[in-house]
Structures are given as structure tokens and as C-alpha cells.
Amino acid sequence: MRAGLAVPSGAHVSRLQVSGSDARGDPGLAMLVLFETAAGYAIFKVLDESKLQEVDSIWKEFETPEKANKVVKLKHFEKFQDTTEALAAATALVEGKLSKNLKKVLKKIAAKEAHEQLAISDAKLGGVIKDKVNISCVHSAMVTELMRGIRNQVDGLITGLSTREMAAMSLGLAHSLSRYKLKFSPDKVDTMIVQAISLLDDLDKELNNYIMRCREWYGWHFPELGKIITDNLAYCKCVRAVGDRVNFAAFDLSEILPEEVEAEVKTACEISMGTEVSEEDINNILHLCDQVIEISEYRTQLYDYLKNRMMAIAPNLTVLVGELVGARLIAHAGSLLNLAKHPASTVQILGAEKALFRALKTKRDTPKYGLIYHASLVGQTTPKNKGKISRMLAAKASLAIRYDALGEDTNAELGVETRAKLEVRLRHLEEKGLKRISGTGKALARADKYQHKSEVRVYDPSGDSTLPSVSKKRKIEEVEEEEEQPTEVKVKKAKKPKIEPVEEAEGICLNTEEPEVEETPKKKKKKKRAIKTEEEEELQEEAPTTSTADEPSKKKKKKKKAKQEEEEED
């Protein structure tokens, strides 16, 4: 609308010609201009088309109302009866449709002056007029400038309407059109969900505080009751119904508690260690119990309301993640439309922003899930697969959100199908883990590296010993070092003929070199060395820790025995 209703500005504007003719129209045909206002439709006739040939200078012809009246003249004005009719006409123009009122006006013109062209501000509307009324329409840059000039001088060109009346109609129509653009629908208001889930969370916090205070307060009088009755609501109902602890023995609690619990309560009230309280204290506790019971009942009612509202607004999202998680996602994003704009990766970690930024700051692993962690599909998964399921659920949930926010259907078929696929995928992941444990499936398909194994098997005696084994090379090196050390000491201290001390300690013989001066053949030396190594290995196996400490003492004994033998020979 013009002059207070900017319909063409929001509509599709094109510089292409609707009828295919030149922007100035055919020289033999007069041009009419369709101008929309908040008060009604105005049809002007162009008096001098030569002044419209230069597009850049058209505004000069509409500087004053007198100049404007020389260019265009009002031919017909169709006034709206009320705001409802104006809104219907405006919405039709916004959507590029032809309203009934405009169709009647154009048919009158077509009957009188069918040969004239019609200048319009919306090319899409021109196509509809051409099809239904058979009037050739023109839209170009010249028409746009002409409309701008008429809008500036609309008060002087349209007679019979005051400026005040035009302003009031423009304001009323603007408000009505804004409401229409919002597409206000009671069933599609997600603000109610945001408020309901916030109130539900607040009620849970208050209930916890009230119940904790009630248990602590009445616990001074009857402390055993808190351990017997674990349900908070049943606890408050019992206290509200009975009051003083003495009344429990004769009171019937079968409507509130099971028989076993009731019998236990009656037994405990007789031997209770609680203190006596006044009647005024009991009355205050009973009043608190009334508050807890009322809030609990209201919370149940609010939960049912939230469940129904979620099924009406976002049925597919509700089927996938549940009404509480879905409502919290909508509340966190602000609205269902804002949530639909988020990608799946954002939906997955929505609610874990603090952990995400902390992980990015410290360069650690980012969180795998946020609010979506509380969905039933993620909850029934093993910890190993929670990340995979939350990623898949977030991807499917983002599709469901967009379908709910932007789709025309209100059924939950998409959500039901998607949930079934996710459950199949979840079962597959769980079975995959079981197959790996049992050694079937992919574990069998894995090929091990080929290694040639000899068919000849030799008995390994090292398996009989429980002591740590030492490599053969290391054993030989230790034996050679032990042989070299005593010979060096003997050479430095005294140049005496080498003798062979014989010692029998713990049934073990330590053989050294023979005392004879004659040289022994090489074969005997090799045998002696082999015997020494075997004997020392047995010593290491029997007493590996004490062998190193006993070496110096054994050497001293050998020297003493050698001296004694020399003295006896002499």
C-alpha cells in the first residue's frame, strides 16, 4: 500500500515489463495508474506522458500539488468499508494475489476503457491481473518513480479524505498487518512453553527446599518417620493427616501407605526418641505440609499442560527427545524458530557452553553433549556409545525441529520413523560391542601377521624355575669377570705357585686351578671352566642376593687353606 501501507516495497519488484511493451506504453494508448492506500484503491490517469520520458527528472513534476495535478488526475477511488476489508486487501497484495474488491474495480475499468494500459508497482500482481481481467499491465523504473511522486502528493491528488483520517487509517492497518505477519495462532505459541518449563524448574527447586525443611522440622518430633517413609509427598500427607506423633498408633494410614510401612510406622512411634513439641509448632508444620501438597499437585497439572503444548507445537521433537528435553532446548534457544536455525552440532552441545569455552581455552576435548544428554535414547546407552548416539540424535532432532517450525503438517510421523531408526542403530552398536567380546564378527576378519613356526619342539627347563631368568651372554660375562678378579689379586700380593683349594660348603664344590706345577692340557681347562660356570649358575639360582656379599669372605678362606696346605707339605 502507498501513503501509510508499504506493500509494494515488501513485494517482489522487477524492472521487467509485464505486458512486454515499452515503459512509456504504446503512443496511441492512454495510461492508467493503480495506486493502493490505507483508505482504498485509487486509479489515476496520466495526462501528459511526455513529462514521464526522462526517469531522473520525474520528481520535479511532483514538487507541488499543482504540478502533480497537471501530470496525473484521479479517475476512480474505491474506499474500504472497515479495517477488516483493508487488511484482507493488504494481505492479498503482500502475497501477490488479486482481492475481490480490486477485481470488481478493474472489471469496471476493463468494461469502459479496455484499450488503456495499467501501471502497477508489483510485477507479480500484474501477471495475475493480466490473466484474470485481461488488462495489459506495465511495470518499469518510470512507473516506480511515478508512484513515488504520487505518494508525496497523495493528499492533494485524492479529494474527500482529510490528512487526519488518512493517518488514523494507516496506523490501524499497519497494526493489523503486523499481527497478520506474525501469524498469531494460539496453538503455535512457543512462548508458553518457555514460561512453562521455567516455572516447572522453579517449582522443583522450591519443592525440594520446602520438603527438606518439613523433614528437618518434624524430625525433631518424630525422627524415625523420615527413614521409614522415603517418598516426600507421602511423608507430607502422613504428617498433615496425623499431626502429633502420639496419634500414629490409632490412625488409619492405609490410603497413604502400604500395610508393611504402616505397621513399621506404628511400631516406631511407640519407641521414638523425638522431643515433645507444642500444638502451635505442629500447626506451623501442618501449614508447611499443605503448601508442599498444593505445589506438588500444581506441578503435576503444569507437567500435563506442558506435555500437551509440546505435542501441539513440536510433535516430532517431543517424540525424539521427550517433552522436558525438547522444552528446555526451545527455552535455551529463545523460540522454536531460533532453534530451527541452529545446526545439528550446536543442538548437540546446547546447554554446555561453559564447558565448551573452557575446553577451547585450555585446549582440551570439547563436550559431546549438553541438554540432549537427558534424552531417553542417550540415557539407555553404554558410556562408550553415548557420544555417537548424542551426535546422531542431534542430527535427527535438528531435522525434526525444522519440520515442526516451518512445515505445514502437525503429525509426528517423521519423529516416530526417525526414533525407530535410531533405536535400530543403537541396538547395532550394542551388539557390535558384544561380538567383539565373544570373538566373532569383525574380530575374526582381522588377519594376523604371518610368522613361521618350527615344528620341532624342545623342552625348556627355564619354565621350571620361579626365579627371574638371566640371559646366557650375561652369565658368561659374569663368570669371566669372577675368574679374572681373583687371579689379579694373587699376582699383586704374592708370587706363589697356583694351588687348588677345595671347599665343600652346603654340598657344593668350588674347583680352582690345580696346585701342580705341570701344565695341564687345554681340554682339561675347558672342562673346568664349564664346571665352574654350571656351579656358579646353581649358586646364583639358589641365593642370588647373598652371592655378591659372600665373595670376599670365600676368597679369604681359600687363601688360609692354601697356606695351611703349604705348611703341611713342608
Side-chain angles (χ1 to χ4, degrees):
M1 286 273 178
R2 302 299 182 188
L5 183 63
V7 173
S9 61
H12 176 69
V13 177
S14 173
R15 299 207 172 191
L16 296 176
Q17 216 170 16
V18 176
S19 63
S21 60
D22 186 47
R24 293 170 293 175
D26 294 336
L29 297 178
M31 183 181 289
L32 299 177
V33 180
L34 175 63
F35 185 78
E36 307 93 2
T37 67
Y41 295 113
I43 294 178
F44 294 95
K45 186 172 184 178
V46 179
L47 300 176
D48 189 1
E49 292 188 25
S50 60
K51 295 180 179 179
L52 306 177
Q53 291 181 2
E54 295 182 5
V55 177
D56 296 335
S57 61
I58 291 177
W59 63 273
K60 295 179 182 178
E61 304 297 332
F62 290 90
E63 288 179 345
T64 60
E66 292 78 13
K67 286 185 176 181
N69 282 317
K70 293 179 181 178
V71 180
V72 292
K73 180 183 178 183
L74 181 64
K75 187 173 184 181
H76 181 76
F77 184 75
E78 187 73 21
K79 190 177 180 180
F80 297 134
Q81 298 295 326
D82 52 9
T83 310
T84 307
E85 187 180 351
L87 178 62
T91 52
L93 288 172
V94 169
E95 295 172 0
K97 296 178 181 178
L98 188 64
S99 63
K100 293 181 179 179
N101 199 8
L102 180 58
K103 194 174 182 180
K104 289 179 183 178
V105 174
L106 293 176
K107 280 184 178 179
K108 289 179 184 178
I109 296 171
K112 292 180 181 178
E113 302 175 6
H115 59 282
E116 294 187 355
Q117 287 184 332
L118 183 66
I120 56 166
S121 58
D122 188 7
K124 188 177 179 182
L125 180 64
V128 178
I129 292 172
K130 175 69 177 174
D131 294 337
K132 294 190 175 181
V133 190
N134 198 17
I135 295 177
S136 60
C137 300
V138 178
H139 173 73
S140 64
M142 179 269 292
V143 174
T144 306
E145 290 295 325
L146 180 61
M147 293 288 184
R148 189 176 289 118
I150 294 172
R151 192 185 312 117
N152 290 335
Q153 302 297 336
V154 68
D155 295 333
L157 292 172
I158 299 176
T159 55
L161 280 177
S162 62
T163 308
R164 197 172 189 180
E165 187 180 0
M166 182 70 78
M169 295 182 77
S170 299
L171 184 62
L173 184 58
H175 287 173
S176 301
L177 188 61
S178 298
R179 281 193 217 101
Y180 174 78
K181 282 186 176 181
L182 289 173
K183 292 183 178 179
F184 181 80
S185 173
D187 297 332
K188 280 286 184 182
V189 180
D190 48 9
T191 309
M192 304 302 171
I193 289 178
V194 175
Q195 299 298 329
I197 191 63
S198 301
L199 179 58
L200 199 67
D201 293 338
D202 293 340
L203 284 177
D204 288 336
K205 291 178 184 176
E206 292 301 322
L207 267 177
N208 288 334
N209 291 332
Y210 280 23
I211 289 166
M212 182 181 67
R213 184 65 55 209
C214 182
R215 280 179 174 272
E216 189 176 348
W217 201 349
Y218 195 73
W220 286 97
H221 180 56
F222 191 4
E224 292 83 5
L225 185 66
K227 296 179 180 178
I228 297 169
I229 304 174
T230 56
D231 184 41
N232 294 324
L233 188 59
Y235 182 91
C236 292
K237 284 181 179 180
C238 286
V239 174
R240 179 69 187 86
V242 179
D244 200 330
R245 177 187 64 201
V246 182
N247 303 330
F248 272 98
F251 202 88
D252 184 19
L253 296 171
S254 58
E255 296 180 358
I256 303 172
L257 301 174
E259 292 181 2
E260 302 84 6
V261 180
E262 184 183 1
E264 193 175 350
V265 169
K266 288 181 178 179
T267 306
C269 72
E270 296 175 358
I271 56 171
S272 177
M273 298 177 65
T275 60
E276 296 294 332
V277 293
S278 64
E279 188 177 350
E280 186 180 359
D281 296 332
I282 291 290
N283 290 333
N284 281 314
I285 295 171
L286 297 182
H287 184 65
L288 179 60
C289 291
D290 286 334
Q291 294 291 323
V292 171
I293 294 167
E294 288 177 9
I295 293 173
S296 299
E297 291 174 354
Y298 176 63
R299 189 199 176 281
T300 306
Q301 179 186 350
L302 183 65
Y303 177 74
D304 293 337
Y305 163 76
L306 178 65
K307 190 175 181 180
N308 295 332
R309 184 59 60 195
M310 279 296 295
M311 284 303 295
I313 293 176
N316 295 288
L317 178 64
T318 306
V319 170
L320 274 177
V321 299
E323 53 275 349
L324 287 177
V325 178
R328 285 195 174 93
L329 287 171
I330 293 172
H332 199 84
S335 68
L336 184 64
L337 195 61
N338 288 344
L339 186 61
K341 294 175 184 177
H342 290 316
S345 57
T346 305
V347 174
Q348 182 181 350
I349 60 170
L350 208 63
E353 290 84 2
K354 191 175 179 181
L356 173 67
F357 293 125
R358 185 173 62 245
L360 293 174
K361 189 176 180 181
T362 56
K363 294 182 180 179
R364 294 183 179 178
D365 293 338
T366 54
K368 293 181 180 178
Y369 25 67
L371 290 170
I372 208 169
Y373 178 81
H374 300 287
S376 59
L377 279 172
V378 180
Q380 66 190 15
T381 317
T382 56
K384 184 181 179 182
N385 296 324
K386 281 187 188 295
K388 291 181 180 179
I389 287 296
S390 63
R391 185 174 66 249
M392 289 186 285
L393 182 60
K396 298 301 181 183
S398 64
L399 292 175
I401 291 162
R402 289 164 194 167
Y403 187 82
D404 290 332
L406 308 171
E408 295 180 357
D409 298 333
T410 56
N411 53 13
E413 292 179 1
L414 178 68
V416 173
E417 292 176 3
T418 308
R419 187 179 177 88
K421 290 179 182 177
L422 286 173
E423 287 175 351
V424 170
R425 176 65 177 156
L426 174 61
R427 263 197 315 275
H428 177 68
L429 286 173
E430 298 293 339
E431 291 172 359
K432 189 177 179 182
L434 293 174
K435 283 180 181 178
R436 282 183 179 174
I437 292 168
S438 62
T440 57
K442 289 189 176 180
L444 285 177
R446 197 182 305 156
D448 295 331
K449 187 178 178 182
Y450 174 75
Q451 291 181 352
H452 177 69
K453 295 179 181 179
S454 175
E455 295 179 0
V456 180
R457 294 184 180 181
V458 182
Y459 176 72
D460 187 9
S462 64
D464 298 338
S465 175
T466 57
L467 296 172
S469 60
V470 184
S471 62
K472 292 182 179 180
K473 289 183 179 180
R474 189 174 175 185
K475 288 178 183 177
I476 295 168
E477 289 174 0
E478 288 176 357
V479 170
E480 289 176 356
E481 288 176 1
E482 287 175 2
E483 287 177 357
E484 290 172 3
Q485 284 176 0
T487 54
E488 289 176 358
V489 172
K490 287 178 182 178
V491 171
K492 287 181 181 178
K493 285 187 177 180
K495 296 180 180 178
K496 291 181 179 181
K498 294 180 181 180
I499 59 174
E500 182 184 359
V502 180
E503 180 181 354
E504 293 181 5
E506 298 177 356
I508 300 169
C509 297
L510 297 173
N511 296 326
T512 56
E513 294 178 356
E514 294 180 357
E516 296 176 1
V517 182
E518 295 177 3
E519 292 180 2
T520 57
K522 292 183 180 179
K523 291 183 179 180
K524 289 184 179 180
K525 287 184 180 180
K526 288 182 180 179
K527 287 181 181 179
K528 287 179 182 179
R529 281 190 180 181
I531 292 167
K532 281 183 182 180
T533 54
E534 289 176 1
E535 289 175 352
E536 286 174 2
E537 283 176 6
E538 290 175 0
L539 283 171
Q540 285 178 0
E541 289 176 357
E542 288 178 3
T545 55
T546 57
S547 61
T548 54
D550 294 341
E551 282 180 1
S553 60
K554 288 180 180 179
K555 290 176 183 177
K556 289 179 181 179
K557 289 179 181 179
K558 287 179 182 179
K559 290 179 181 179
K560 286 181 181 180
K561 284 192 176 184
K563 287 181 180 180
Q564 288 175 3
E565 287 176 359
E566 286 178 1
E567 289 174 358
E568 288 174 359
E569 287 176 0
D570 294 335

